């Protein structure tokens, strides 16, 4: 196998990795807000399930969650979900898991906003949702960006867990090539690519932080 | 004409009754100072009037709007749309400003009129420009609050409250977070508003200011209004023992 072939297979795998990464963020970032709000609700019907959800998803291995979602429908209900299911199950697993982590980060941020901000907005007549989206959330995002950055960078590497479902993301491909060629090279290249991706994300995050550095409170 | 009226308001936090039947009504153009020792319920009264707290007994109205009414010994609040309407009639200036840190000065002032009141953009900008000039904030429009001094921030907060055209403006110790120099500039703009007959209720520890600026002064202690009357009269010649004790203490301090 030439170096070029190896690279083209790995980069195709990277495409799949990126797909999982983007879909996970697109799903779990908003879902995390919903769960955080439920978790902070004064209604126990909302806060208790949210607490349980967060505890369970953070307290069990992601790999196990992925397999449960992948195989659960068949073992529990004898559902045959076709070839597409693998990828869908993978995305659902990642979204549900990361939403639990994001929810706790959102919660810490939302609770750190002084009560006076809510009160000033209430007196000016802002509705509850206007207050949240216009006044609170922008300040929350600034405060939680570093913690979010941590999770997002972890996600880049966690996508490799999709190999347990046999999804052809980068790590799965590297493993296959390494076994066939009896070589460490694919692993080394893969490590480098993950790192480059993380550097790129770190750079984007620092841009975001700079953009919000125009104020502090 | 009565702009705001509180009647026989009772408010408790748990078992602690903080307001024990307070009635206060404010006429258009009137400036009322509220004084009293710490813990007397002054802030709680303002927070009840501005709907930041709910009370258990008593009633509240803004002009012809019944906001809360006592029915069979319990307060019943009006529907959401009435409350929203009432919120257009008052403004509140906080001790610690509570400006929105991520908004510029101009956006702090104009955002609620545009987004909540849905007023015309040109008109709001014009109103804001006038207020900025009146508050001595020219050139600060595009700064964010943390770039301003405390006195400037409080003047932005006053402009923000005024830009929504409230019928009445409440102040809760607007200068307590400021050093004496900055206090003076904030008191100056409040004094100017008083001269323009803006209806205001001001909780303050500045006795001289209350005496000079307010038409009427209310002394609160232990959750009740102990004494009220024309500002100079009440401060110079209090009738009640508790008022006298409080005033002599503040003079010494
Ligand atoms: N959210 C709250 N929960 C419980 N108790 C409260 C709350 N807010 C105020 N209180 C209590 O109510 C009483 C009156 O407080 P309030 O803040 O209205 O007094 P104040 O006259 O404004 O005093 P100060 O001059 O110190 O501002 C105090 O005993 C206070 O401890
Ligand atoms: Mg107070």
């Amino acid at each position: 196998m030439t170096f070029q072939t190896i690279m083209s297979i790995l980069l195709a795998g990277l495409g799949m990795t990126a797909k999982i990464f983007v879909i996970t963020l697109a799903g779990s970032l908003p879902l995390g807000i919903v769960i955080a709000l439920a978790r902070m609700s004064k209604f126990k019907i909302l806060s208790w399930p949210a607490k349980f959800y967060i505890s369970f998803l953070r307290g069990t291995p992601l790999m196990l969650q992925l397999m449960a979602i992948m195989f659960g429908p068949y073992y529990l209900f004898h559902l045959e979900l076709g070839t597409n299911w693998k990828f869908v199950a993978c995305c659902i697993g990642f979204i549900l898991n990361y939403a639990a982590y994001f929810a706790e980060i959102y919660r810490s941020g939302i609770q750190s906003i002084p009560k006076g901000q809510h009160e000033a907005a209430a007196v000016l007549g802002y509705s509850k949702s206007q207050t949240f989206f216009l006044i609170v959330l922008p300040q929350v995002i600034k405060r939680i960006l570093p913690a979010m950055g941590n999770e997002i960078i972890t996600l880049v590497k966690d996508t490799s867990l999709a190999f347990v479902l046999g999804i052809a993301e980068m790590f799965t491909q590297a493993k296959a090539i390494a076994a066939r060629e009896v070589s460490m090279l694919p692993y080394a290249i893969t490590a480098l690519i993950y790192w480059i991706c993380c550097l790129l994300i770190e750079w984007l995050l620092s841009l975001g932080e700079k953009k919000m550095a125009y104020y502090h409170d | 004409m009565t702009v705001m009226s509180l009647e026989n308001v009772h408010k408790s936090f748990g078992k602690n009754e903080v307001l024990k039947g307070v009635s206060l009504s404010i006429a258009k153009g009137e400036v009322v100072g509220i004084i009293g020792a710490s813990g007397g319920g002054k802030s709680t009264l303002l927070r009840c009037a501005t709907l930041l707290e709910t009370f258990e007994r008593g009633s509240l109205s803004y002009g012809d709007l019944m906001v809360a009414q006592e029915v069979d010994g319990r307060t019943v609040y009006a529907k959401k749309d009435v409350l929203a309407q009432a919120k257009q009639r008052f403004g509140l200036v906080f001790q610690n400003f509570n400006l929105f840190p991520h908004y510029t000065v101009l956006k702090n002032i104009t955002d609620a009129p545009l987004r909540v009141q849905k007023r015309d953009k040109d008109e709001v900008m014009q109103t804001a420009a006038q207020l900025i000039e009146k508050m001595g904030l020219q050139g600060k429009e595009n700064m964010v609050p943390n770039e301003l001094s405390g006195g400037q921030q409080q003047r932005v907060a006053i402009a923000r409250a005024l830009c929504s055209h409230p019928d009445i403006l409440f102040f809760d110790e607007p200068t307590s977070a400021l050093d004496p120099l900055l206090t003076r500039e904030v008191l100056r703009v409040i004094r100017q508003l008083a001269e323009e007959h803006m209806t205001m209720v001001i909780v303050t520890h500045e006795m001289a200011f209350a005496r000079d600026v307010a038409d009427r002064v209310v002394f609160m202690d232990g959750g009740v209004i102990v004494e009220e009357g024309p500002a100079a009269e009440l401060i110079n010649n209090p009738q009640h023992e508790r008022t006298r004790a409080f005033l002599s203490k503040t003079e010494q301090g």
Side-chain angles (χ1 to χ4, degrees):
Chain A
M1 208 183 268
T2 65
F3 180 74
Q4 242 171 354
T5 343
I6 293 177
M7 278 312 284
S8 74
I9 296 173
L10 287 180
L11 288 178
L14 177 63
M16 179 54 86
T17 295
K19 222 158 119 185
I20 298 171
F21 176 80
V22 169
I23 292 174
T24 301
L25 284 187
S28 60
L29 285 173
L31 181 60
I33 296 184
V34 176
I35 296 167
L37 291 176
R39 167 76 176 75
M40 290 183 291
S41 168
K42 57 176 185 267
F43 301 111
K44 288 212 167 70
I45 331 177
L46 292 174
S47 68
W48 279 75
K51 252 187 229 174
F52 173 82
Y53 176 95
I54 291 166
S55 171
F56 185 75
L57 277 118
R58 295 202 306 176
T60 54
L62 173 54
M63 197 189 287
L64 213 145
Q65 293 165 16
L66 290 173
M67 288 171 61
I69 293 170
M70 168 89 175
F71 300 113
Y74 177 76
Y75 285 118
L76 295 176
F77 310 109
H78 294 283
L79 286 177
E80 299 273 4
L81 288 162
T83 48
N84 240 340
W85 175 243
K86 208 158 65 171
F87 179 70
V88 176
C90 170
C91 291
I92 293 175
F94 273 104
I95 289 173
L96 294 182
N97 181 272
Y98 268 78
Y101 285 92
F102 288 149
E104 283 298 90
I105 297 178
Y106 282 123
R107 183 168 71 95
S108 71
I110 292 169
Q111 288 178 338
S112 77
I113 302 298
K115 218 174 75 195
Q117 293 289 302
H118 292 269
E119 295 182 347
V123 170
L124 287 165
Y126 289 92
S127 68
K128 282 251 163 64
S129 74
Q130 281 176 323
T131 303
F132 183 72
F133 287 107
L134 300 172
I135 309 298
V136 176
L137 193 57
Q139 297 183 56
V140 167
I141 289 171
K142 178 182 165 90
R143 288 181 187 205
I144 65 176
L145 202 62
M148 281 293 188
N150 252 336
E151 288 304 320
I152 292 171
I153 281 173
T154 304
L155 173 61
V156 173
K157 297 162 294 168
D158 268 1
T159 53
S160 63
L161 285 173
F163 92 91
V164 296
L165 305 185
I167 287 173
E169 49 70 55
M170 188 162 60
F171 180 71
T172 312
Q173 301 289 39
K175 214 162 133 254
I177 304 169
R180 197 174 334 140
E181 302 286 307
V182 197
S183 158
M184 284 293 287
L185 186 65
Y187 285 133
I189 298 170
T190 305
L192 201 63
I193 296 176
Y194 277 122
W195 188 26
I196 291 169
C197 290
C198 288
L199 284 174
L200 188 75
I201 288 163
E202 279 170 24
W203 176 71
L204 285 173
L205 286 166
S206 74
L207 281 190
E209 282 187 36
K210 272 201 201 108
K211 194 158 182 272
M212 289 185 282
Y214 71 94
Y215 78 92
H216 59 83
D217 38 87
Chain B
M1 201 184 93
T2 304
V3 176
M4 184 225 57
S5 166
L6 282 161
E7 248 168 78
N8 193 30
V9 168
H10 291 255
K11 164 75 186 171
S12 305
F13 291 107
K15 287 208 158 44
N16 180 18
E17 192 173 35
V18 173
L19 298 178
K20 301 170 179 162
V22 176
S23 298
L24 180 66
S25 113
I26 311 291
K28 190 168 171 5
E30 198 179 17
V31 178
V32 174
I34 300 182
I35 60 172
S38 184
K42 306 180 297 294
S43 296
T44 306
L45 186 67
L46 288 202
R47 293 171 59 82
C48 285
T50 53
L51 304 176
L52 290 175
E53 301 280 359
T54 56
F55 47 89
E56 301 90 48
R57 277 178 56 196
S59 58
L60 166 65
S61 64
Y62 281 93
D64 55 349
L65 272 187
M66 258 338 261
V67 174
Q69 216 165 353
E70 187 170 316
V71 179
D72 299 331
R74 280 195 51 216
T75 298
V76 178
Y77 279 83
K79 289 206 186 69
K80 238 180 162 173
D81 57 315
V82 176
L83 300 185
Q85 229 179 314
K87 281 181 184 166
Q88 302 305 311
R89 300 196 176 182
F90 60 75
L92 173 62
V93 174
F94 299 84
Q95 180 176 340
N96 52 354
F97 331 132
N98 290 335
L99 292 173
F100 304 132
H102 58 308
Y103 281 0
T104 61
V105 166
L106 187 64
K107 193 158 184 198
N108 262 286
I109 297 172
T110 56
D111 198 56
L114 291 173
R115 242 193 267 264
V116 176
Q117 301 183 319
K118 307 216 158 40
R119 274 155 53 192
D120 174 64
K121 183 156 186 203
D122 290 340
E123 178 266 314
V124 170
M125 287 300 159
Q126 215 175 332
T127 308
Q130 284 164 3
L131 283 168
I132 283 167
E133 197 190 324
K134 195 160 153 184
M135 296 295 142
L137 294 165
Q138 301 97 317
K140 309 271 187 280
E141 291 86 345
N142 295 316
M143 292 188 173
V144 286
N146 70 272
E147 295 174 306
L148 304 177
S149 75
Q152 290 166 337
Q153 290 189 48
Q154 192 59 300
R155 284 180 281 144
V156 175
I158 296 172
R160 176 176 73 173
L162 287 172
C163 203
S164 294
H165 294 319
D167 297 337
I168 179 170
L169 194 49
F170 296 95
F171 295 80
D172 192 358
E173 300 192 28
T175 60
S176 289
L178 305 174
D179 63 39
L181 198 69
L182 301 179
T183 295
R184 216 181 316 149
E185 60 185 45
V186 170
L187 293 185
R188 195 177 54 228
V189 302
I190 298 175
R191 201 182 294 263
Q192 190 188 341
L193 292 172
E195 279 160 15
E196 295 164 11
H197 302 292
M198 177 75 208
T199 310
M200 295 187 283
V201 176
I202 308 166
V203 173
T204 183
H205 287 300
E206 308 271 340
M207 291 310 142
F209 174 74
R211 186 184 53 214
D212 297 348
V213 173
D215 303 308
R216 176 158 60 112
V217 167
V218 171
F219 171 66
M220 274 186 84
D221 192 25
V224 294
I225 292 179
V226 176
E227 183 172 353
E228 62 180 303
E233 209 167 291
L234 186 134
I235 290 178
N236 294 335
N237 186 20
Q239 297 302 305
H240 279 256
E241 186 50 45
R242 276 151 87 185
T243 321
R244 268 200 288 273
F246 170 75
L247 286 170
S248 67
K249 234 183 281 167
T250 52
E251 267 159 36
Q252 285 157 15

